[in-house]
Amino acid sequence: MGVMRRNLFLVLALFTALCISVRADITPAQQTDAEYLINNGYSEAGAEQVLIQKKRIAGEPCEPLYEQKNNNKFVRFLKNCYSYLDPAVDSEERYHHDIHQSPSVRDL
């Protein structure tokens, strides 16, 4: 009986050790990293908003994460015209700024 109890104890100890969940420590900076958020099921837009908020708090300039600014002036003009005609589209220049109720030349 002594050997059977010892074997049972070893099996229970092994089972208990396997059932304990092990989690790695993650810092808040790692949890708010864009790559980490996307890999854990968040959208690119959500990860970009987190990145923009972190940069605002740090006082750094906010650049879009996945959308690069177009240097072609004609394409930029067309995008600005489209965003002026459709107020639901966020323009690059006024994405995080106050929206005025009346249209002006600055909108183009």
Side-chain angles (χ1 to χ4, degrees), residues 3-107:
V3 174
M4 189 169 159
R5 283 186 193 172
R6 187 178 56 181
N7 289 342
L8 183 62
F9 177 72
L10 289 174
V11 168
L12 286 175
L14 181 65
F15 181 73
T16 304
L18 292 176
C19 291
I20 296 174
S21 68
V22 177
R23 296 184 182 203
D25 289 337
I26 299 174
T27 64
Q30 291 172 334
Q31 288 179 347
T32 56
D33 184 42
E35 184 178 347
Y36 178 82
L37 291 172
I38 291 170
N39 289 340
N40 285 300
Y42 289 91
S43 67
E44 290 178 356
E48 184 176 16
Q49 289 299 319
V50 170
L51 178 73
I52 288 173
Q53 190 65 26
K54 281 175 57 176
K55 287 192 175 210
R56 279 184 175 173
I57 291 170
E60 299 172 3
C62 298
E63 289 289 328
L65 187 60
Y66 292 103
E67 183 180 323
Q68 295 180 354
K69 189 173 183 177
N70 196 340
N71 292 330
N72 189 342
K73 291 181 181 180
F74 182 70
V75 173
R76 230 179 326 154
F77 175 76
L78 288 178
K79 282 184 179 181
N80 288 338
C81 286
Y82 180 72
S83 68
Y84 178 75
L85 295 174
D86 187 6
V89 175
D90 287 325
S91 173
E92 293 174 359
E93 284 80 21
R94 62 179 179 171
Y95 187 68
H96 293 289
H97 299 289
D98 295 331
I99 296 175
H100 301 286
Q101 298 296 325
S102 59
S104 68
V105 177
R106 277 187 323 172
D107 295 337

